[in-house]
Amino acid sequence: MFPARLRTGAPLVLAVLALSGCSSHWGCTDTTAERGKAGVRVQIEDVYERPIGVTAEVVDWRLEPHPQVPSEGDQVHFHFRFYGADESSGPGVDACAVDKKRVALGCRTVYSSEAFGPGGDPTGDEWLAVEHPERVAEVLLIPNDQSYDRRTCEQDIKDGGGPHPPKPAGRGDLL
């Protein structure tokens, strides 16, 4: 069906394509860190689950209407602090309002760079809109650094892959 010369050259062409990175998922692997134990105060971990020398803490929280949308009723207003991070860049962690069983009612990622106010105070504040604010028992932080944004194999087979933080926490997750 095909000339002998074409049949003998085909394996060589396939080998060149594979070695050049043109083959599907050849050598590209993604790994995802395990989600750490949530708490009010956590040591932030990198994608290898090692502490990075930064601590995050929920300083306080309360239910109150957001000043820009008071008609939407109570939301969770919380203050957080990062210890050991610098002002320009640093880690981010998921903050979640949870019920008594530690089921997330609403989450968002907060970054250390958002925490620095006037005079270098490493405290910031955020709002979480939750469907049932009366069920909020506490606000917890998840220790995994969410700021590490490396491309996945699916996004870039040649340069992607490697370790990634766990999927960000969301409503319904048990923390």
Side-chain angles (χ1 to χ4, degrees):
M1 171 151 118
F2 292 107
R5 190 180 310 197
L6 186 59
R7 281 189 303 228
T8 59
L12 179 61
V13 170
L14 291 174
V16 169
L17 287 174
L19 292 175
S20 68
C22 294
S23 65
S24 152
H25 296 320
W26 184 80
C28 188
T29 58
D30 287 313
T31 58
T32 303
E34 291 291 321
R35 184 177 288 163
K37 182 171 171 46
V40 173
R41 184 180 173 111
V42 296
Q43 292 283 323
I44 300 175
E45 303 170 348
D46 65 14
V47 292
Y48 299 102
E49 301 173 29
R50 298 178 301 213
I52 63 170
V54 177
T55 300
E57 175 182 29
V58 175
V59 178
D60 66 13
W61 68 273
R62 61 187 168 279
L63 296 175
E64 61 186 3
H66 191 289
Q68 294 176 342
V69 284
S71 63
E72 293 183 7
D74 283 344
Q75 295 184 18
V76 180
H77 184 204
F78 67 99
H79 289 85
F80 57 94
R81 177 172 284 162
F82 282 83
Y83 302 93
D86 63 40
E87 293 183 41
S88 61
S89 65
V93 294
D94 288 338
C96 298
V98 299
D99 66 12
K100 290 178 184 176
K101 295 180 180 179
R102 295 175 65 112
V103 174
L105 303 172
C107 300
R108 73 173 306 132
T109 303
V110 294
Y111 295 91
S112 62
S113 58
E114 299 170 337
F116 286 89
D121 179 23
T123 304
D125 74 307
E126 276 297 340
W127 296 82
L128 284 167
V130 297
E131 193 171 326
H132 297 284
E134 71 280 359
R135 291 178 39 202
V136 176
E138 62 185 328
V139 176
L140 300 177
L141 301 173
I142 300 172
N144 305 91
D145 182 6
Q146 292 290 337
S147 68
Y148 187 74
D149 187 24
R150 182 178 177 102
R151 298 185 66 75
T152 64
C153 291
E154 186 175 295
Q155 293 166 325
D156 187 345
I157 196 165
K158 185 176 176 195
D159 298 322
H164 301 280
K167 178 181 167 195
R171 186 174 28 204
D173 288 353
L174 181 61
L175 305 181

